Every structure is written in structure tokens, then in C-alpha cells.
Amino acid sequence: MSDKPITPLMPVYPRCDVRPVRGEGCYLIGERGERYLDFASGIAVNALGHGHPVLVKAIAEQAATLMHVSNLYGSPQGEAYAQRLVDATFADTVFFTNSGAEAVECAIKTARRYHYANGNPERGTLITFNNAFHGRTLGTISATNQPKMRDGFEPLLPGFRYAPFNDLDAALSQVDLNTAGFLLEPVQGEGGLLPATPEFLKGLRAFADKHGLLLVLDEVQSGFARTGKMYAYEHYGITPDIMATAKGIGGGFPMGACLATAEAAKGMVFGTHGSTYGGNPLAMAVGSAVLDVVQGEGFLDHVNAMGDRIRASLEQLIPNHDELFDSVRGLGLMIGLRLKVEPRDFVAHLRDNHGLLTVSGGDNIVRILPPLVVEESHIAEFIEKLSAGAASYKLPVPA
Ligand SMILES: *Cc1c(COP(=O)(O)O)cnc(C)c1O
């Protein structure tokens, strides 16, 4: 044992006693062989569950063929996969990244550069929203006003203003001559599984159109079929100008992308942006494999059917535990169970005593994010474990 006052793993995570060493579909297996039903999916990442044969095969084959080359060279793999994302979305062009935060960084740069290219370099400020989560880089923590992410990291990046989520008037009242546009999650994830209201998102879109501003969506968590559509914006009948995507896109392989229309990306010319690893052949093979599955016949219908099933079961369960459970919200398989108490202790109880993995979020939300390939039998097991967990849970005594 080391006598250093710090662990080799920088201790920024309060890691729990779940120590997974293997995954099988919707289950994680720990060091001592114990099994967990994984309704967290690495926080909405393992869209195809663990060890999906299509993904495993794609990685093995591409790793043996060509893993990485510089972005200085032509990329047949990147061109083909970017074309598929363009065909599947609002976008005309794609920049590949290795993570969600990098995708948001690229989105912020693209938005600023658009106004610069238009001769309005002063339009550099994005309006973002309370309880937003956009990642942990300096740029993306500057894009939220949550103190738990910002404290002690000042000076942060200028060029962000904050408004309450789902309050159109408040957002528009922040607009001035320096505004570049709006940056938001169409369904807030970490902040508490909160979907934008149609009036809010459509209102931002209409205002942006009228005033030459950009609508930038962070679909890092809500994207890639998680909400039952390829992207959550489709639920609203609008399209963004720029969008960040990651998490589910690689099914567990670290990758992300910034998508944009031709107009919005007009400032992103040679030399303005780059990434050593972004879009390497291995990532492109992974992305194509995940997309093959997600675009397979009936996949989105399955996500919606399983989401409806979970929500209906939760609605039924709530009255049996109404001292603990408040309500259900969300879209597709991005589901929030709102508690009447702070959720972290209950999430730990489900994990430690009932072998069920979920994730806590803001606003007393337990995030329920199963792999998108979840089956009815897993849902039955989930409801059983949740119900048993609620029955055995001792509500904290109010102070
Ligand atoms: C997870 C997340 C990010 C950050 O993604 P990383 O891959 O951790 O950098 C950004 N935005 C949203 C909405 C997220 O859920």
C-alpha cells in the first residue's frame, strides 16, 4: 500500500462498491461474480447493452485492419459514415470527436465562427439554461451555472448567459446585440430528465430564425434513439442549426460528433478546428455498426414499446409507495422516476441490496436508462427489484 495522501486514480469520483469486470447484455458482473441488472447503461452509453456481437465483431475486424491514421490523410471510412449521419439527420456536415464535451466544444466554436464569418464577431454569447450539463471541459462548465461544476475553476470562459429552462420569455429577455444563439439539451439529463416543452423549444427556434441566431442542441444524452426517435428534436417538429451527439453513438466506444447545417458551419474552414483521434477508422467502424443496429427494422418501435411498458409499470407502482415515489417523466427509454426525497441514498440501496443499477439526477430524479435492446423480461425483473427496493427502503428521518 502506498503512503501517499492520494490514490493512484485521481479521487474525483465517489466510487461505489460495484466493481464490474464483465458485461452480458443488460447485466454487469462484479469482481465476486455478483450480477447487476444494468438500467444505467454507463449513463446512456451502452445502447446495445454489453458485448453486442455486431459491435464486438466490428471492433475486432477494424482493429486488425486499420485502427488510427492522421486526419491529414483522406478518410474513406469517415466520408462514408459522415454521409450516413447526414442522411439520417438535419445536418449537412459532421466533425468527429472522442467525447460529448468535445462535441459541445465544437458546437460552441462553430456557433461563434458563424457570426464571425458573417462579419458580426461581437455575437459570441450563447444563452444556456439552469441545471444544464454540457460536460467537464473549461468551455462546457462555463456553459452551465451549476456551482458544483464551476466552483474553484475560475476564471471561466466568458460568453455565456443563463436563463431558467422552459421559460421562453426569460430566455428571450437575455438576448442582446452580442447573442450568438441558444444552447440547450432538448431533454435535460443530469439536471433531472426534464423534456423541453414544445412551446419553449419551438419558441426558441422561431425567435432564432427571426433574428439570425443559432439554435444549438446538446443531444449527447438524448440522441441516438434514446428517446425513441433518432434525435429528440424530431419529437418537436423542429431542427437545430448545430448539434452535439455522443454517448449512445458509439455504444461504449468513446466517440462523439458535432453536426451542422452548411449555413451554420460556414465559418469552419481549413485550419479552424481539429482532433488527433477524432473520426479514426476504428471509431468510424464502431459508429457504422451501431448505426446499422439502430437503423434496423423495428428498432425505434422497440425502444418506444419498451419505454411505454416501463412508464406504465411505474405509474402502477407509484400508488403502492406514495411516501417515496412522486411521478414519472421522460421520453422513450430516457425515463425519470421522481422521488419525494433526495434520490442518491435510494439509488445506492437499489444497487447494494437489490442488484439494480440506476443513476441519480437533479430534481430528486432516479434516471432509468436501460440498454435500448432491453426486453420485457428485463423490465419485469426491474419492476420486481424496484418494488422490493421501495418496500425495504427506510425513508430517512427528516432533520
Ligand atoms: C454526458 C454529457 C456530456 C458530456 O459528455 P462526455 O463524453 O462526458 O464529455 C455533455 N452533454 C450532455 C447532455 C451529457 O449528458
Side-chain angles (χ1 to χ4, degrees):
M1 277 306 234
S2 156
D3 55 2
K4 299 258 170 59
I6 195 162
T7 47
L9 264 185
M10 193 182 275
V12 292
Y13 281 102
R15 292 172 189 271
C16 69
D17 291 336
V18 178
R19 297 168 67 82
V21 291
R22 204 169 73 246
E24 290 172 6
C26 295
Y27 296 90
L28 280 177
I29 294 104
E31 271 179 329
R32 287 166 281 113
E34 71 282 17
R35 286 174 81 82
Y36 300 92
L37 180 65
D38 185 6
F39 270 40
S41 303
I43 316 192
V45 168
N46 302 103
L48 308 184
H50 303 283
H52 193 286
V54 172
L55 189 52
V56 171
K57 181 164 177 275
I59 290 173
E61 286 182 359
Q62 189 61 46
T65 307
L66 182 64
M67 196 144 46
H68 174 81
V69 295
S70 167
N71 277 313
L72 296 172
Y73 307 130
S75 175
Q77 308 87 359
E79 286 164 8
Y81 178 55
Q83 182 66 53
R84 291 184 68 184
L85 288 181
V86 163
D87 291 342
T89 65
F90 74 97
D92 301 312
T93 191
V94 183
F95 181 87
F96 290 111
T97 68
N98 312 290
S99 68
E102 284 174 273
V104 177
E105 290 276 348
C106 180
I108 295 167
K109 286 180 73 173
T110 303
R112 288 187 174 178
R113 191 77 192 183
Y114 167 78
H115 292 294
Y116 173 88
N118 280 344
N120 301 310
E122 75 287 357
R123 291 204 192 180
T125 296
L126 284 164
I127 294 164
T128 70
F129 296 90
N130 292 358
N131 293 322
F133 181 72
H134 297 297
R136 296 294 199 141
T137 61
L138 277 170
T140 55
I141 63 173
S142 306
T144 180
N145 60 358
Q146 292 202 65
K148 66 180 180 193
M149 285 148 202
R150 300 167 50 108
D151 282 357
F153 295 114
E154 293 87 356
L156 295 181
L157 215 62
F160 297 95
R161 295 177 77 160
Y162 315 96
F165 193 69
N166 276 340
D167 184 338
L168 183 60
D169 291 340
L172 302 188
S173 76
Q174 291 288 333
V175 173
D176 62 18
L177 291 173
N178 298 321
T179 304
F182 307 99
L183 165 62
L184 71 153
E185 301 153 83
V187 184
Q188 285 197 330
E190 196 272 346
L193 243 303
L194 191 59
T197 62
E199 306 74 59
F200 180 59
L201 195 49
K202 288 179 171 178
L204 294 178
R205 176 71 274 176
F207 187 89
D209 284 341
K210 190 156 167 226
H211 297 279
L213 304 180
L214 296 170
L215 182 64
V216 184
L217 293 184
D218 178 350
E219 292 233 30
V220 168
Q221 194 164 150
S222 60
F224 239 76
R226 176 55 57 186
T227 69
K229 302 259 191 203
M230 192 63 196
Y231 283 98
Y233 69 76
E234 297 169 38
H235 290 286
Y236 296 86
I238 58 118
T239 57
D241 301 297
I242 303 171
M243 181 179 79
T245 180
K247 290 205 165 98
I249 193 173
F253 187 86
M255 60 182 286
C258 174
L259 283 67
T261 63
E263 173 68 9
K266 72 205 268 188
M268 300 305 279
V269 297
F270 290 152
T272 52
H273 199 45
S275 166
T276 296
Y277 295 121
N280 77 27
L282 184 55
M284 299 298 91
V286 166
S288 293
V290 176
L291 192 55
D292 285 343
V293 176
V294 169
Q295 288 184 329
E297 195 169 329
F299 190 89
L300 292 177
D301 293 340
H302 177 79
V303 172
N304 285 306
M306 294 301 106
D308 289 348
R309 172 64 63 108
I310 293 177
R311 266 193 305 278
S313 305
L314 289 174
E315 299 283 5
Q316 274 187 350
L317 194 62
I318 287 175
N320 302 343
H321 303 280
D322 61 358
E323 71 299 338
L324 179 61
F325 296 157
D326 177 78
S327 52
V328 186
R329 66 194 190 204
L331 286 168
L333 286 171
M334 192 172 178
I335 299 171
L337 172 61
R338 187 154 191 265
L339 304 189
K340 291 180 174 167
V341 298
E342 209 286 323
R344 265 174 295 190
D345 191 52
F346 183 61
V347 166
H349 171 70
L350 291 175
R351 179 186 77 212
D352 296 339
N353 302 317
H354 296 273
L356 173 61
L357 303 182
T358 56
V359 197
S360 60
D363 197 28
N364 288 353
I365 286 285
V366 177
R367 280 186 278 176
I368 297 161
L369 303 164
L372 304 182
V373 296
V374 68
E375 296 289 343
E376 288 191 15
S377 61
H378 305 120
I379 294 175
E381 188 183 340
F382 162 72
I383 293 294
E384 224 166 83
K385 286 180 185 301
L386 182 67
S387 173
S392 65
Y393 185 61
K394 289 192 189 54
L395 276 172
V397 184

